[in-house]
Amino acid sequence: MSAAGTQVIPPRRGAGFRLAAGQLLTVIDPEGRQVADLLAYNAADVREVISSGRTLDYAETIRLTTGHLLYSNRSRPMLEIVEDSVGRHDFLLTPCSYDTFHHFYPDLPPHRGCFGNLAEALAPFGVEEDAIPVAFNCFMNVPVDGTTGRLEVLPPTSVAGDRIVLRARMDLVIGLTACSAPASNGGSFKPIHYRIDDPS
Amino acid sequence: MSAAGTQVIPPRRGAGFRLAAGQLLTVIDPEGRQVADLLAYNAADVREVISSGRTLDYAETIRLTTGHLLYSNRSRPMLEIVEDSVGRHDFLLTPCSYDTFHHFYPDLPPHRGCFGNLAEALAPFGVEEDAIPVAFNCFMNVPVDGTTGRLEVLPPTSVAGDRIVLRARMDLVIGLTACSAPASNGGSFKPIHYRIDDPS
């Protein structure tokens, strides 16, 4: 049962919203090869926040997919991945920002990036921009060379209609973007769709 | 020129101290195969903190060593690695904690871990424990399988006397530990030494 219908995040924009414990968040790549940075905060105390380090430690892999839990900095499960049609997401990198644009794309017009979009979307919930950590970057394709350690940002492997579904394990504030960085999405800017469904 | 001589962090303990811009911090593994979790905060505003995600993004590798910069969440260089006799450090995982001990070592007596030691050491500087992110884990050996994504925590490759030297690029508050987790150090608990030197 849908609680809100399908929502659209326009290209290079972001959204902030509540997700209650038990609700399902479906993040959809409607056109393919687009990234959505996802952040989660405890709605009752936003100092509790999604933690890449805790999650990777417990999962013992950087390749998170169906069945994995996304943990908070307090070692509590925030989200569970219950469906995943892609299997390639990133949990190493922070959201692109004005500074990362300046670093990686010095010839392009500067953009506040996912970081600026998340900061604006989360401000009404009391989240300061310094409290934006490594995001769970849905569909972002960042292979790591096991021998050299080198990482690359490649276009996502997602195709139109691909999705990841996450169930909230506590009452959350979510930040979500349609990514703004050319390298993350194969050079173009596309929307992201999402929907919130109540538990059946 | 030494500003303080060699300091000793006893096994399974931590330390917090100031490091002024330009000063050199040498972290020494005196017995070999021991890990030191390192955190850095802007001394003038501890909301600015070391960021694995920014650092890995700019470095384009998870294998950080001499010449690499460690960035803050505001994309500013905090520390520069100027010497490194090991070349194997981790910047993926959060400090071990009471909860991680419970998870990985359910049969061992619980321990507050590096997380608890860092929280105590950093509290006098106004750092709350929720603001402890992924640490730069000196000498921690966490290979990632490039094909499967799987990560392992192996004993460090460091031998007695190995060291890493970092130069502060701003006035910092540093948190540093002698790691408490059996898997990180090959099953034993050892001290960590450090020294602070003024620029020559």
Side-chain angles (χ1 to χ4, degrees):
Chain A
M1 185 174 69
S2 173
T6 298
Q7 308 289 316
V8 175
I9 304 177
R12 308 188 100 180
R13 298 294 294 275
F17 51 89
R18 290 181 185 278
L19 187 72
Q23 284 186 318
L24 295 163
L25 170 64
T26 301
V27 181
I28 303 156
D29 181 356
E31 299 180 15
R33 306 215 319 176
Q34 173 60 312
V35 166
D37 289 12
L38 185 152
L39 291 177
Y41 298 81
N42 176 350
D45 181 353
V46 295
R47 293 175 302 181
E48 184 170 8
V49 57
I50 196 167
S51 168
S52 63
R54 289 272 175 254
T55 300
L56 300 180
D57 202 7
Y58 292 136
E60 299 181 58
T61 180
I62 62 170
R63 196 76 58 75
L64 299 165
T65 187
T66 306
H68 280 121
L69 295 168
L70 307 186
Y71 285 85
S72 77
N73 55 344
R74 296 180 191 168
S75 281
R76 301 198 303 162
M78 299 190 108
L79 291 158
E80 178 184 356
I81 303 175
V82 296
E83 190 185 324
D84 176 14
S85 66
V86 178
R88 284 273 181 165
H89 315 282
D90 169 68
F91 211 2
L92 300 181
L93 304 181
T94 29
C96 61
S97 68
Y98 185 90
D99 293 304
T100 58
F101 267 80
H102 182 72
H103 179 94
F104 289 110
Y105 313 107
D107 297 333
L108 292 185
H111 191 278
R112 65 179 185 176
C114 289
F115 184 86
N117 287 328
L118 288 163
E120 180 180 351
L122 293 167
F125 300 98
V127 176
E128 297 188 345
E129 67 176 38
D130 283 326
I132 293 177
V134 172
F136 182 72
N137 302 305
C138 305
F139 317 127
M140 191 172 185
N141 184 12
V142 183
V144 173
D145 185 307
T147 305
T148 65
R150 185 161 178 81
L151 63 83
E152 287 182 286
V153 178
L154 299 182
T157 62
S158 50
V159 299
D162 267 331
R163 64 194 57 211
I164 182 171
V165 185
L166 306 107
R167 179 181 286 121
R169 297 284 290 257
M170 64 173 75
D171 290 343
L172 296 171
V173 169
I174 298 288
L176 191 67
T177 70
C179 186
S180 310
S184 302
N185 52 36
S188 66
F189 307 114
K190 286 159 283 193
I192 283 290
H193 293 178
Y194 70 93
R195 54 183 293 148
I196 296 171
D197 290 284
D198 291 326
S200 54
Chain B
M1 186 175 70
S2 172
T6 298
Q7 307 288 318
V8 175
I9 303 177
R12 307 186 100 181
R13 299 294 294 274
F17 51 89
R18 291 181 184 278
L19 187 72
Q23 283 186 318
L24 295 164
L25 170 64
T26 302
V27 181
I28 303 157
D29 181 356
E31 299 180 16
R33 307 215 320 175
Q34 173 59 312
V35 165
D37 289 13
L38 185 152
L39 292 176
Y41 297 81
N42 176 349
D45 181 353
V46 295
R47 293 176 302 181
E48 184 170 9
V49 57
I50 194 167
S51 169
S52 63
R54 288 272 175 255
T55 300
L56 299 180
D57 202 8
Y58 292 135
E60 298 181 58
T61 180
I62 62 170
R63 196 75 60 77
L64 300 165
T65 187
T66 306
H68 281 120
L69 294 168
L70 307 186
Y71 285 85
S72 77
N73 54 345
R74 297 180 189 167
S75 280
R76 301 199 301 162
M78 299 190 108
L79 291 158
E80 179 184 356
I81 303 174
V82 296
E83 190 185 324
D84 177 12
S85 66
V86 178
R88 284 273 181 164
H89 315 282
D90 170 68
F91 210 3
L92 301 181
L93 305 181
T94 29
C96 60
S97 69
Y98 184 89
D99 294 304
T100 58
F101 267 79
H102 182 72
H103 179 93
F104 289 110
Y105 314 107
D107 298 332
L108 292 185
H111 191 277
R112 66 180 185 176
C114 289
F115 184 84
N117 287 327
L118 288 163
E120 181 181 352
L122 293 167
F125 300 98
V127 176
E128 295 187 346
E129 67 176 37
D130 282 328
I132 293 177
V134 172
F136 181 72
N137 302 305
C138 305
F139 317 127
M140 191 173 184
N141 184 11
V142 183
V144 173
D145 184 306
T147 305
T148 65
R150 185 161 178 81
L151 62 82
E152 287 182 285
V153 178
L154 299 182
T157 61
S158 50
V159 298
D162 267 332
R163 64 193 59 212
I164 182 171
V165 185
L166 307 107
R167 179 182 286 120
R169 297 284 290 258
M170 63 173 74
D171 290 343
L172 296 171
V173 168
I174 298 289
L176 191 67
T177 70
C179 186
S180 310
S184 301
N185 52 36
S188 67
F189 307 115
K190 286 158 283 194
I192 283 289
H193 292 178
Y194 71 93
R195 54 184 291 147
I196 297 171
D197 290 283
D198 291 325
S200 54

